[in-house]
Amino acid sequence: MKLRRPYKIFRTMALVLVVLSLIAPLVWMVAASLKTNVDIYDTDKAFVFSPTMDNYSNVLQQANYIQFIGNSLWVALAATVLSLLLGVPAAYSMSRFNMKKSALVVLMARVIPGVSLLVPWYYVFSNLQMVGGFTVLILSHMFVSLPLIVYIMMGYFDGLPTELEEAALVDGLTHIGAFRRITLPLSVPGIATAGILSFIFSWNNFMFALVLSGADTKTLPVAIFDFVGYASIDWGGLMAAATVVTLPIMLIALFVQKYVVSGLTAGATKG
């Protein structure tokens, strides 16, 4: 008991420090978004200030952020849906037919930094006159989403028992029929997990959109830089824009965290 008490105190202090280090920047961001630029620089008004919604009004009305929100939603949803349509069957094939070389290629694509491909991508897509459109953004986001989905779903399929599929094959179903009628319904939690993570990564993606988007196809992470000028920075507008980008993803993560955890750990054991 004497040894447990100092351990509990240390664990509690460590948890508090970790939580504070994660929450403090978010709290400061939200608080700054409710201040004027003068109040942001005033240390006396760090905690006590008169909140204002002018920054959000400027973001949503004057900076075309409704359009940018629609752009982000369209790119993230399209990249996620297309990646699921391609990645789930690919992961099933690699898992059930022991395609180790293909799995290695997917793993390599997962660990290669996407920024290393930006220059050749820009060269190719600019020659095809595709830079600035939604198609190139969706394709570039799929480079991150597709390997992620395949990697998650391979582990999930490895954890599903093969006896049900073997029984379906004995009853006359093909491998495709067994996948569609047996395996696919059982893998819905894993698909939901992969889709949620893919959407989050696509929503937060900055570098691809910065290089490959146009004036009308900007996504939210890129549009934030409209508040950074050469001579000054609109900190209130910048923090309001960052809050608009961050809060939806935080709410999604908050409500679906148990599904994400269960989906990620479902393939931890086989059988």
Side-chain angles (χ1 to χ4, degrees):
M1 294 296 295
K2 292 182 179 180
L3 293 177
R4 288 182 180 179
R5 185 176 180 83
Y7 171 73
K8 289 182 178 180
I9 295 175
F10 173 78
R11 183 180 63 180
T12 302
M13 293 178 62
L15 289 174
V16 170
L17 289 175
V18 171
V19 172
L20 288 178
S21 64
L22 295 175
I23 293 180
L26 298 176
V27 173
W28 182 85
M29 177 183 69
V30 175
S33 69
L34 298 173
K35 299 178 182 180
T36 64
N37 287 328
V38 175
D39 290 343
I40 291 175
Y41 287 102
D42 190 349
T43 56
D44 294 333
K45 296 183 179 180
F47 301 101
V48 180
F49 58 92
S50 298
T52 177
M53 299 299 294
D54 291 342
N55 295 321
Y56 289 96
S57 177
N58 294 333
V59 166
L60 297 177
Q61 295 180 9
Q62 300 179 16
N64 296 326
Y65 254 66
I66 300 300
Q67 176 186 351
F68 300 145
I69 291 174
N71 293 344
S72 292
L73 285 174
W74 167 240
V75 172
L77 285 174
T80 299
V81 171
L82 291 175
S83 297
L84 286 173
L85 291 175
L86 296 174
V88 173
Y92 174 77
S93 300
M94 294 178 191
S95 175
R96 288 294 183 261
F97 300 106
N98 199 22
M99 302 170 65
K100 295 183 178 180
K101 293 183 179 179
S102 299
L104 180 61
V105 172
V106 173
L107 180 61
M108 292 299 296
R110 181 72 185 91
V111 299
I112 292 176
V115 67
S116 63
L117 299 177
L118 272 178
V119 173
W121 275 355
Y122 182 82
Y123 177 78
V124 171
F125 289 126
S126 62
N127 289 332
L128 295 175
Q129 297 182 352
M130 295 175 62
V131 173
F134 284 112
T135 302
V136 66
L137 283 177
I138 294 171
L139 291 176
S140 63
H141 284 210
M142 287 179 64
F143 175 80
V144 177
S145 301
L146 188 56
L148 175 67
I149 288 173
V150 173
Y151 185 76
I152 292 175
M153 293 308 300
M154 281 184 62
Y156 195 89
F157 287 134
D158 288 340
L160 293 178
T162 59
E163 288 79 6
L164 295 176
E165 297 176 35
E166 293 171 354
L169 294 176
V170 172
D171 289 338
L173 289 178
T174 62
H175 285 286
I176 296 177
F179 168 72
R180 182 170 59 88
R181 296 187 180 185
I182 305 299
T183 308
L184 196 59
L186 293 175
S187 60
V188 170
I191 294 174
T193 299
I196 291 167
L197 293 178
S198 172
F199 181 87
I200 291 174
F201 281 123
S202 182
W203 178 275
N204 292 331
N205 195 295
F206 169 75
M207 188 61 66
F208 296 162
L210 177 65
V211 177
L212 300 175
S213 66
D216 296 329
T217 58
K218 285 182 182 179
T219 57
L220 281 176
V222 178
I224 290 178
F225 275 83
D226 291 342
F227 295 92
V228 180
Y230 291 104
S232 63
I233 299 177
D234 182 7
W235 285 108
L238 184 63
M239 293 301 103
T243 303
V244 172
V245 175
T246 305
L247 284 185
I249 294 301
M250 291 184 62
L251 293 176
I252 292 175
L254 180 64
F255 285 109
V256 302
Q257 60 175 335
K258 64 177 182 180
Y259 301 105
V260 173
V261 173
S262 63
L264 289 174
T265 59
T269 58
K270 297 185 67 173

